[in-house]
Amino acid sequence: MIKTEITKTYVVIEKIVESANVSTLKLRLSDGSVPTYHAGQFINVYFPELSVPEGKAYSMSSAPHEKVLVITVKAVGEFSRRLCALQTGDTVTASLPYGYFYSELEDTSLVFIAADIGVTPFRSIILDSLSRNPSRKLILFYTSRTHGGLTFREEFENLRKKHSNFDVFYFVTREKSPDPAIVQTRVTIGNIVGSGPQKNIAGREFMLCGSISFVGDIWKGLRAAGVPEEAIYTEAFFSH
């Protein structure tokens, strides 16, 4: 027997245009409630007219304590363009939240490595961790092709100023940036864990999100650097 996923109707209560091709949609269920979810989870979105019965998955960028369900979407495919075209008051069909992209430990440091729109679940996890466990060390390595592709950068900078245990490093690969805080290069394993006997591995968990090739390359690099497989969490996506 094929198990049919339970779908719900969500209402867009607010839309924020983050950049030319990235939009944030704040959602609630049609009855005004917000489903229970864990930071790092996702929902499957359905547009029946597109003949993709399995839908497409979008990580939530909101933390549970924000009392709203938020997805941040880059318009790079038909599904994503449809989502980015939605306006306040529109509805969309999607699943309840699910997935297991999060640490079940509380005493480790978390290192996030994000490429482009892959930063979305990390906003959720970072905000949740700063709220529930403010002493936990959090480090974000965030790479994008362009300066404008660094979604949430202003918010991350504000969080860094408020929380001494949170730090963020930016990398841009395809343009020069006048901002000295942005490194014009690809993020490397050396950036993430250091090198030689000074490697920063012990007591850390590493969470990767981006394209399949990006996640695969970083995973291999971390393993080669000595990071245990069980200390690496991955989430990768196709363009959709």
Side-chain angles (χ1 to χ4, degrees):
M1 180 181 293
I2 298 175
K3 184 178 179 180
T4 303
E5 186 173 60
I6 297 174
T7 59
K8 298 288 185 178
T9 299
Y10 292 84
V11 179
V12 180
I13 61 169
E14 185 180 355
K15 176 181 179 178
I16 300 170
V17 177
E18 304 284 358
S19 63
N21 61 352
V22 175
S23 293
T24 287
L25 302 175
K26 297 185 177 183
L27 308 172
R28 287 202 178 106
L29 294 172
S30 56
D31 64 2
S33 66
V34 177
T36 300
Y37 63 92
H38 197 295
Q41 291 188 312
F42 63 88
I43 57 173
N44 270 336
V45 174
Y46 299 91
F47 290 110
E49 65 274 19
L50 297 184
S51 300
V52 184
E54 68 274 18
K56 297 288 186 180
Y58 292 88
S59 297
M60 287 170 293
S61 55
S62 54
H65 67 267
E66 293 184 285
K67 306 302 183 184
V68 68
L69 190 152
V70 180
I71 56 174
T72 301
V73 182
K74 184 175 182 179
V76 292
E78 194 166 15
F79 256 76
S80 298
R81 287 194 292 270
R82 288 283 190 99
L83 282 169
C84 287
L86 294 176
Q87 302 296 326
T88 301
D90 289 343
T91 61
V92 63
T93 300
S95 71
L96 293 171
Y98 62 103
Y100 300 95
F101 187 53
Y102 51 84
S103 169
E104 294 184 336
L105 303 176
E106 294 288 341
D107 58 350
T108 57
S109 298
L110 293 180
V111 180
F112 310 98
I113 305 101
D116 198 49
I117 201 64
V119 78
T120 54
F122 296 150
R123 179 190 183 273
S124 175
I125 298 168
I126 288 167
L127 289 178
D128 182 59
S129 183
L130 290 174
S131 173
R132 295 188 305 103
N133 188 4
S135 63
R136 190 175 200 172
K137 179 65 176 177
L138 309 173
I139 306 171
L140 170 63
F141 294 90
Y142 187 8
T143 183
S144 178
R145 294 179 178 179
T146 65
H147 179 275
L150 295 170
T151 306
F152 306 133
R153 189 184 173 211
E154 182 177 354
E155 183 174 18
F156 289 143
E157 286 302 298
N158 289 334
L159 289 173
R160 175 159 62 177
K161 292 174 183 176
K162 294 178 182 177
H163 300 275
S164 60
N165 61 315
F166 171 63
D167 209 351
V168 56
F169 302 91
Y170 306 101
F171 301 81
V172 167
T173 61
R174 295 197 178 179
E175 69 177 16
K176 292 183 178 180
S177 173
D179 190 335
I182 299 177
V183 181
Q184 188 189 345
T185 185
R186 294 182 181 276
V187 63
T188 68
I189 299 302
N191 297 137
I192 298 166
V193 302
S195 58
Q198 303 304 315
K199 287 180 183 177
N200 291 312
I201 293 174
R204 293 188 170 193
E205 294 184 290
F206 298 81
M207 306 191 73
L208 325 178
C209 189
S211 67
I212 291 175
S213 60
F214 173 83
V215 169
D217 288 345
I218 298 295
W219 187 90
K220 291 175 184 176
L222 290 174
R223 293 288 291 121
V227 178
E229 185 172 355
E230 61 271 19
I232 306 174
Y233 303 77
T234 64
E235 187 165 280
F237 53 78
F238 294 100
S239 295
H240 53 253

